Amino acid sequence: MSDHCCQKKSSELKKLAKQQGKVLWIVLSINAVMFGIELLAGVWSNSLALTGDSLDMLGDAIAYGSSLYVINMGSKAQARSAVLKGGIMFLSAVVVFARAVYQLALSTPPELRVMSGVGVIALCANLICLYFLTRHRNDNINMSSVWLCSRNDIIANTSVLGAAGLVYLTHSPLPDIAVGVFLAFVFARSAGSVLSESWQQLKSA
């Protein structure tokens, strides 16, 4: 009876890992494609918000790849993967803040059509990612951390569109720069949350 229960549990865990793997491959692919699109669009349109969001996409793609690597491993390996994700979030915050200083010195407004158009595409892409990840957000720390990454993307995309609207109304680059700094703050705060949780799990593993 006990062996039967153990075999059933093992089978359920393998099935869950397979489902998680499929979801992670889907969202990894979406984020990798959107990283390239947003980076090119951000540089071409001189938009800090788009550039910052593209780095978030890259960080998420790396995080999803890391999650795929540890999906069949124990809680300690998954906690280490979460530490990597937290580090990527923090690095993104530093890069975006540095870019904000550069953009402030230039004081050149971004190209609104590109900024808003790509912003809408990125928002739709991340809503799809969040939909796939939500059903697995409570499975383990590995999946909860990638869900948090995806949630941050929605915040970032909404902020990009808000910045585009404010740039249109004010004819100033400051809203775009302000959103870039806001994204840096969100990345840093999320990094702290993920690093704290994963460190606690590493100590208890």
Side-chain angles (χ1 to χ4, degrees):
M1 183 68 177
S2 176
D3 289 345
H4 175 71
C5 290
C6 290
Q7 288 174 359
K8 184 178 180 182
K9 183 67 175 178
S10 177
S11 177
E12 289 174 351
L13 289 173
K14 287 180 181 178
K15 185 178 179 180
L16 179 61
K18 189 175 181 180
Q19 291 172 346
Q20 292 174 349
K22 286 180 180 179
V23 168
L24 288 171
W25 273 115
I26 292 171
V27 296
L28 187 157
S29 301
I30 292 173
N31 276 265
V33 171
M34 286 308 304
F35 159 67
I37 293 173
E38 279 199 295
L39 180 62
L40 291 174
V43 173
W44 187 77
S45 67
N46 200 38
S47 171
L48 176 65
L50 273 184
T51 304
D53 198 36
S54 74
L55 291 176
D56 188 33
M57 290 284 193
L58 174 62
D60 286 349
I62 295 171
Y64 298 144
S66 172
S67 294
L68 277 167
Y69 178 72
V70 301
I71 199 167
N72 291 311
M73 298 184 184
S75 59
K76 195 168 185 177
Q78 292 182 5
R80 285 174 178 165
S81 174
V83 169
L84 173 63
K85 293 166 203 169
I88 290 169
M89 287 181 191
F90 183 76
L91 182 60
S92 295
V94 173
V95 171
V96 172
F97 184 77
R99 178 75 181 179
V101 175
Y102 173 74
Q103 292 286 103
L104 190 60
L106 285 180
S107 296
T108 305
E111 214 293 317
L112 285 177
R113 289 183 182 178
V114 176
M115 182 181 177
S116 56
V118 175
V120 169
I121 294 171
L123 177 60
C124 293
N126 281 316
L127 284 171
I128 293 171
C129 291
L130 190 68
Y131 169 77
F132 281 114
L133 289 168
T134 296
R135 69 184 70 180
H136 294 290
R137 64 174 292 197
N138 295 317
D139 289 354
N140 49 47
I141 190 174
N142 186 35
M143 297 305 293
S144 66
S145 62
V146 294
W147 180 88
L148 184 61
C149 290
S150 187
R151 188 207 64 180
N152 285 348
D153 288 344
I154 302 298
I155 296 172
N157 298 146
T158 306
S159 301
V160 169
L161 295 176
L166 289 173
V167 169
Y168 174 77
L169 291 173
T170 62
H171 304 287
S172 168
L174 290 180
D176 180 58
I177 294 171
V179 166
V181 173
F182 169 72
L183 291 179
F185 173 76
V186 171
F187 296 161
R189 187 174 179 181
S190 295
S193 175
V194 170
L195 288 170
S196 176
E197 186 179 354
S198 56
W199 180 250
Q200 291 298 324
Q201 184 157 333
L202 275 174
K203 288 198 298 183
S204 62

